[in-house]
Amino acid sequence: MGMHLEAFWEPDEVDARTDRPVAGSRMLCRLAVTIAMPADDMSVIMDGDRIDMTMTLTPEQMARMGEFLTVQAGRAGEYLHRYRYPDMPDGIAPGTYIRIPFDLEGAGR
């Protein structure tokens, strides 16, 4: 395994009574990154309050990662709509996350 990303979407403000997004709320994405170690094409350094990560990628892998992030950003409005109307087809139950996984192998050396 190289790198595993998960995009976790949730509204930034919810009504405590209904657990649904309030008017004017927006979607936030928490991007979780997991890197298998040891790996010869990746490194992670933790120093105090800072984490540095490097990964060797081919141009195709960079494009795939960029496409994943761009597509996710473009779906924020759709996800918010699905949270607001959980009873509609593809609606999202109040209090749950939208979890979108993405895996990317390192380029190797």
Side-chain angles (χ1 to χ4, degrees), residues 14-38:
V14 295
D15 184 315
R17 293 172 290 130
T18 65
D19 212 16
R20 291 186 182 176
V22 299
S25 64
R26 60 190 174 139
M27 294 299 289
L28 297 177
C29 179
R30 289 185 296 121
L31 188 62
V33 179
T34 303
I35 297 177
M37 299 300 280

PDB file of all heavy atoms in Angstrom, residues 14-38:
ATOM      1  N   VAL A  14     -25.218  22.152  12.543  1.00  0.00           N
ATOM      2  CA  VAL A  14     -26.442  21.349  12.525  1.00  0.00           C
ATOM      3  C   VAL A  14     -27.368  21.802  13.644  1.00  0.00           C
ATOM      4  O   VAL A  14     -26.933  22.307  14.669  1.00  0.00           O
ATOM      5  CB  VAL A  14     -26.161  19.833  12.668  1.00  0.00           C
ATOM      6  CG1 VAL A  14     -25.389  19.304  11.483  1.00  0.00           C
ATOM      7  CG2 VAL A  14     -25.435  19.537  13.952  1.00  0.00           C
ATOM      8  N   ASP A  15     -28.662  21.630  13.411  1.00  0.00           N
ATOM      9  CA  ASP A  15     -29.682  21.911  14.411  1.00  0.00           C
ATOM     10  C   ASP A  15     -29.648  20.776  15.437  1.00  0.00           C
ATOM     11  O   ASP A  15     -29.793  19.605  15.072  1.00  0.00           O
ATOM     12  CB  ASP A  15     -31.052  21.982  13.735  1.00  0.00           C
ATOM     13  CG  ASP A  15     -32.159  22.353  14.686  1.00  0.00           C
ATOM     14  OD1 ASP A  15     -32.207  21.786  15.796  1.00  0.00           O
ATOM     15  OD2 ASP A  15     -33.000  23.186  14.313  1.00  0.00           O
ATOM     16  N   ALA A  16     -29.444  21.086  16.695  1.00  0.00           N
ATOM     17  CA  ALA A  16     -29.327  20.069  17.741  1.00  0.00           C
ATOM     18  C   ALA A  16     -30.599  19.238  17.873  1.00  0.00           C
ATOM     19  O   ALA A  16     -30.545  18.070  18.256  1.00  0.00           O
ATOM     20  CB  ALA A  16     -28.980  20.718  19.075  1.00  0.00           C
ATOM     21  N   ARG A  17     -31.753  19.816  17.556  1.00  0.00           N
ATOM     22  CA  ARG A  17     -33.015  19.079  17.677  1.00  0.00           C
ATOM     23  C   ARG A  17     -33.214  18.079  16.547  1.00  0.00           C
ATOM     24  O   ARG A  17     -33.684  16.981  16.768  1.00  0.00           O
ATOM     25  CB  ARG A  17     -34.198  20.051  17.712  1.00  0.00           C
ATOM     26  CG  ARG A  17     -34.214  20.930  18.981  1.00  0.00           C
ATOM     27  CD  ARG A  17     -35.284  22.023  18.901  1.00  0.00           C
ATOM     28  NE  ARG A  17     -34.834  22.999  17.894  1.00  0.00           N
ATOM     29  CZ  ARG A  17     -35.572  23.447  16.893  1.00  0.00           C
ATOM     30  NH1 ARG A  17     -36.808  23.062  16.735  1.00  0.00           N
ATOM     31  NH2 ARG A  17     -35.093  24.329  16.039  1.00  0.00           N
ATOM     32  N   THR A  18     -32.845  18.455  15.322  1.00  0.00           N
ATOM     33  CA  THR A  18     -33.100  17.592  14.169  1.00  0.00           C
ATOM     34  C   THR A  18     -31.851  16.893  13.647  1.00  0.00           C
ATOM     35  O   THR A  18     -31.955  15.956  12.883  1.00  0.00           O
ATOM     36  CB  THR A  18     -33.700  18.415  13.017  1.00  0.00           C
ATOM     37  OG1 THR A  18     -32.719  19.372  12.579  1.00  0.00           O
ATOM     38  CG2 THR A  18     -34.981  19.105  13.439  1.00  0.00           C
ATOM     39  N   ASP A  19     -30.688  17.371  14.058  1.00  0.00           N
ATOM     40  CA  ASP A  19     -29.401  16.856  13.575  1.00  0.00           C
ATOM     41  C   ASP A  19     -29.247  17.051  12.071  1.00  0.00           C
ATOM     42  O   ASP A  19     -28.542  16.316  11.403  1.00  0.00           O
ATOM     43  CB  ASP A  19     -29.213  15.388  13.957  1.00  0.00           C
ATOM     44  CG  ASP A  19     -27.748  15.043  14.198  1.00  0.00           C
ATOM     45  OD1 ASP A  19     -26.946  15.974  14.375  1.00  0.00           O
ATOM     46  OD2 ASP A  19     -27.415  13.849  14.200  1.00  0.00           O
ATOM     47  N   ARG A  20     -29.930  18.058  11.537  1.00  0.00           N
ATOM     48  CA  ARG A  20     -29.840  18.407  10.115  1.00  0.00           C
ATOM     49  C   ARG A  20     -29.114  19.738   9.980  1.00  0.00           C
ATOM     50  O   ARG A  20     -29.116  20.552  10.899  1.00  0.00           O
ATOM     51  CB  ARG A  20     -31.229  18.515   9.496  1.00  0.00           C
ATOM     52  CG  ARG A  20     -31.937  17.192   9.394  1.00  0.00           C
ATOM     53  CD  ARG A  20     -33.231  17.346   8.658  1.00  0.00           C
ATOM     54  NE  ARG A  20     -33.945  16.081   8.602  1.00  0.00           N
ATOM     55  CZ  ARG A  20     -35.132  15.942   8.080  1.00  0.00           C
ATOM     56  NH1 ARG A  20     -35.763  16.981   7.556  1.00  0.00           N
ATOM     57  NH2 ARG A  20     -35.716  14.767   8.055  1.00  0.00           N
ATOM     58  N   PRO A  21     -28.535  19.996   8.794  1.00  0.00           N
ATOM     59  CA  PRO A  21     -27.843  21.271   8.583  1.00  0.00           C
ATOM     60  C   PRO A  21     -28.794  22.458   8.755  1.00  0.00           C
ATOM     61  O   PRO A  21     -29.948  22.397   8.350  1.00  0.00           O
ATOM     62  CB  PRO A  21     -27.360  21.192   7.139  1.00  0.00           C
ATOM     63  CG  PRO A  21     -27.372  19.741   6.804  1.00  0.00           C
ATOM     64  CD  PRO A  21     -28.460  19.127   7.621  1.00  0.00           C
ATOM     65  N   VAL A  22     -28.295  23.519   9.375  1.00  0.00           N
ATOM     66  CA  VAL A  22     -29.089  24.736   9.519  1.00  0.00           C
ATOM     67  C   VAL A  22     -28.956  25.557   8.237  1.00  0.00           C
ATOM     68  O   VAL A  22     -28.035  25.343   7.440  1.00  0.00           O
ATOM     69  CB  VAL A  22     -28.640  25.576  10.740  1.00  0.00           C
ATOM     70  CG1 VAL A  22     -28.809  24.798  12.024  1.00  0.00           C
ATOM     71  CG2 VAL A  22     -27.209  26.049  10.592  1.00  0.00           C
ATOM     72  N   ALA A  23     -29.864  26.489   8.053  1.00  0.00           N
ATOM     73  CA  ALA A  23     -29.799  27.370   6.885  1.00  0.00           C
ATOM     74  C   ALA A  23     -28.465  28.112   6.895  1.00  0.00           C
ATOM     75  O   ALA A  23     -28.022  28.597   7.936  1.00  0.00           O
ATOM     76  CB  ALA A  23     -30.955  28.354   6.913  1.00  0.00           C
ATOM     77  N   GLY A  24     -27.823  28.176   5.761  1.00  0.00           N
ATOM     78  CA  GLY A  24     -26.544  28.872   5.650  1.00  0.00           C
ATOM     79  C   GLY A  24     -25.336  28.019   6.009  1.00  0.00           C
ATOM     80  O   GLY A  24     -24.212  28.498   5.927  1.00  0.00           O
ATOM     81  N   SER A  25     -25.557  26.780   6.419  1.00  0.00           N
ATOM     82  CA  SER A  25     -24.402  25.939   6.741  1.00  0.00           C
ATOM     83  C   SER A  25     -23.711  25.510   5.448  1.00  0.00           C
ATOM     84  O   SER A  25     -24.264  25.605   4.360  1.00  0.00           O
ATOM     85  CB  SER A  25     -24.811  24.718   7.570  1.00  0.00           C
ATOM     86  OG  SER A  25     -25.660  23.878   6.839  1.00  0.00           O
ATOM     87  N   ARG A  26     -22.502  25.057   5.578  1.00  0.00           N
ATOM     88  CA  ARG A  26     -21.732  24.591   4.423  1.00  0.00           C
ATOM     89  C   ARG A  26     -21.111  23.247   4.785  1.00  0.00           C
ATOM     90  O   ARG A  26     -21.104  22.845   5.947  1.00  0.00           O
ATOM     91  CB  ARG A  26     -20.654  25.592   4.050  1.00  0.00           C
ATOM     92  CG  ARG A  26     -19.694  25.822   5.182  1.00  0.00           C
ATOM     93  CD  ARG A  26     -18.761  26.966   4.929  1.00  0.00           C
ATOM     94  NE  ARG A  26     -17.991  27.164   6.147  1.00  0.00           N
ATOM     95  CZ  ARG A  26     -16.715  27.435   6.187  1.00  0.00           C
ATOM     96  NH1 ARG A  26     -16.042  27.591   5.072  1.00  0.00           N
ATOM     97  NH2 ARG A  26     -16.094  27.583   7.329  1.00  0.00           N
ATOM     98  N   MET A  27     -20.612  22.571   3.800  1.00  0.00           N
ATOM     99  CA  MET A  27     -19.984  21.276   4.029  1.00  0.00           C
ATOM    100  C   MET A  27     -18.499  21.466   4.305  1.00  0.00           C
ATOM    101  O   MET A  27     -17.842  22.310   3.679  1.00  0.00           O
ATOM    102  CB  MET A  27     -20.174  20.360   2.825  1.00  0.00           C
ATOM    103  CG  MET A  27     -21.605  19.963   2.559  1.00  0.00           C
ATOM    104  SD  MET A  27     -22.365  19.055   3.914  1.00  0.00           S
ATOM    105  CE  MET A  27     -21.501  17.494   3.782  1.00  0.00           C
ATOM    106  N   LEU A  28     -17.994  20.676   5.229  1.00  0.00           N
ATOM    107  CA  LEU A  28     -16.561  20.654   5.519  1.00  0.00           C
ATOM    108  C   LEU A  28     -16.047  19.252   5.244  1.00  0.00           C
ATOM    109  O   LEU A  28     -16.739  18.268   5.486  1.00  0.00           O
ATOM    110  CB  LEU A  28     -16.295  21.016   6.973  1.00  0.00           C
ATOM    111  CG  LEU A  28     -16.713  22.409   7.415  1.00  0.00           C
ATOM    112  CD1 LEU A  28     -16.442  22.593   8.893  1.00  0.00           C
ATOM    113  CD2 LEU A  28     -15.986  23.469   6.602  1.00  0.00           C
ATOM    114  N   CYS A  29     -14.834  19.172   4.773  1.00  0.00           N
ATOM    115  CA  CYS A  29     -14.214  17.882   4.487  1.00  0.00           C
ATOM    116  C   CYS A  29     -12.997  17.701   5.382  1.00  0.00           C
ATOM    117  O   CYS A  29     -12.115  18.550   5.417  1.00  0.00           O
ATOM    118  CB  CYS A  29     -13.781  17.813   3.029  1.00  0.00           C
ATOM    119  SG  CYS A  29     -12.978  16.251   2.601  1.00  0.00           S
ATOM    120  N   ARG A  30     -12.984  16.593   6.114  1.00  0.00           N
ATOM    121  CA  ARG A  30     -11.788  16.197   6.858  1.00  0.00           C
ATOM    122  C   ARG A  30     -11.085  15.162   5.987  1.00  0.00           C
ATOM    123  O   ARG A  30     -11.662  14.150   5.640  1.00  0.00           O
ATOM    124  CB  ARG A  30     -12.146  15.579   8.209  1.00  0.00           C
ATOM    125  CG  ARG A  30     -12.678  16.595   9.186  1.00  0.00           C
ATOM    126  CD  ARG A  30     -12.929  16.003  10.566  1.00  0.00           C
ATOM    127  NE  ARG A  30     -13.968  14.983  10.515  1.00  0.00           N
ATOM    128  CZ  ARG A  30     -13.802  13.709  10.876  1.00  0.00           C
ATOM    129  NH1 ARG A  30     -12.655  13.268  11.324  1.00  0.00           N
ATOM    130  NH2 ARG A  30     -14.811  12.857  10.793  1.00  0.00           N
ATOM    131  N   LEU A  31      -9.860  15.442   5.611  1.00  0.00           N
ATOM    132  CA  LEU A  31      -9.110  14.544   4.750  1.00  0.00           C
ATOM    133  C   LEU A  31      -8.132  13.756   5.615  1.00  0.00           C
ATOM    134  O   LEU A  31      -7.202  14.325   6.183  1.00  0.00           O
ATOM    135  CB  LEU A  31      -8.357  15.338   3.676  1.00  0.00           C
ATOM    136  CG  LEU A  31      -7.689  14.532   2.582  1.00  0.00           C
ATOM    137  CD1 LEU A  31      -8.729  13.741   1.788  1.00  0.00           C
ATOM    138  CD2 LEU A  31      -6.911  15.447   1.662  1.00  0.00           C
ATOM    139  N   ALA A  32      -8.369  12.459   5.752  1.00  0.00           N
ATOM    140  CA  ALA A  32      -7.497  11.578   6.527  1.00  0.00           C
ATOM    141  C   ALA A  32      -6.517  10.904   5.575  1.00  0.00           C
ATOM    142  O   ALA A  32      -6.912  10.389   4.533  1.00  0.00           O
ATOM    143  CB  ALA A  32      -8.325  10.538   7.261  1.00  0.00           C
ATOM    144  N   VAL A  33      -5.244  10.911   5.932  1.00  0.00           N
ATOM    145  CA  VAL A  33      -4.202  10.329   5.100  1.00  0.00           C
ATOM    146  C   VAL A  33      -3.473   9.249   5.896  1.00  0.00           C
ATOM    147  O   VAL A  33      -3.040   9.490   7.011  1.00  0.00           O
ATOM    148  CB  VAL A  33      -3.176  11.400   4.649  1.00  0.00           C
ATOM    149  CG1 VAL A  33      -2.079  10.786   3.803  1.00  0.00           C
ATOM    150  CG2 VAL A  33      -3.864  12.531   3.913  1.00  0.00           C
ATOM    151  N   THR A  34      -3.358   8.055   5.305  1.00  0.00           N
ATOM    152  CA  THR A  34      -2.611   6.958   5.914  1.00  0.00           C
ATOM    153  C   THR A  34      -1.507   6.547   4.954  1.00  0.00           C
ATOM    154  O   THR A  34      -1.766   6.332   3.768  1.00  0.00           O
ATOM    155  CB  THR A  34      -3.524   5.739   6.173  1.00  0.00           C
ATOM    156  OG1 THR A  34      -4.611   6.147   6.989  1.00  0.00           O
ATOM    157  CG2 THR A  34      -2.759   4.615   6.845  1.00  0.00           C
ATOM    158  N   ILE A  35      -0.287   6.459   5.464  1.00  0.00           N
ATOM    159  CA  ILE A  35       0.851   6.031   4.658  1.00  0.00           C
ATOM    160  C   ILE A  35       1.461   4.806   5.317  1.00  0.00           C
ATOM    161  O   ILE A  35       1.787   4.833   6.503  1.00  0.00           O
ATOM    162  CB  ILE A  35       1.907   7.140   4.541  1.00  0.00           C
ATOM    163  CG1 ILE A  35       1.315   8.344   3.821  1.00  0.00           C
ATOM    164  CG2 ILE A  35       3.151   6.626   3.829  1.00  0.00           C
ATOM    165  CD1 ILE A  35       2.249   9.510   3.725  1.00  0.00           C
ATOM    166  N   ALA A  36       1.590   3.727   4.546  1.00  0.00           N
ATOM    167  CA  ALA A  36       2.215   2.509   5.057  1.00  0.00           C
ATOM    168  C   ALA A  36       3.722   2.742   5.172  1.00  0.00           C
ATOM    169  O   ALA A  36       4.340   3.272   4.263  1.00  0.00           O
ATOM    170  CB  ALA A  36       1.929   1.341   4.129  1.00  0.00           C
ATOM    171  N   MET A  37       4.286   2.361   6.300  1.00  0.00           N
ATOM    172  CA  MET A  37       5.729   2.531   6.513  1.00  0.00           C
ATOM    173  C   MET A  37       6.304   1.185   6.911  1.00  0.00           C
ATOM    174  O   MET A  37       5.613   0.388   7.523  1.00  0.00           O
ATOM    175  CB  MET A  37       5.994   3.554   7.619  1.00  0.00           C
ATOM    176  CG  MET A  37       5.462   4.950   7.321  1.00  0.00           C
ATOM    177  SD  MET A  37       6.142   5.697   5.867  1.00  0.00           S
ATOM    178  CE  MET A  37       7.698   6.279   6.460  1.00  0.00           C
ATOM    179  N   PRO A  38       7.540   0.865   6.654  1.00  0.00           N
ATOM    180  CA  PRO A  38       8.469   1.711   5.911  1.00  0.00           C
ATOM    181  C   PRO A  38       8.214   1.611   4.409  1.00  0.00           C
ATOM    182  O   PRO A  38       7.675   0.628   3.934  1.00  0.00           O
ATOM    183  CB  PRO A  38       9.829   1.128   6.268  1.00  0.00           C
ATOM    184  CG  PRO A  38       9.559  -0.310   6.522  1.00  0.00           C
ATOM    185  CD  PRO A  38       8.170  -0.372   7.122  1.00  0.00           C
TER     186      PRO A  38
END
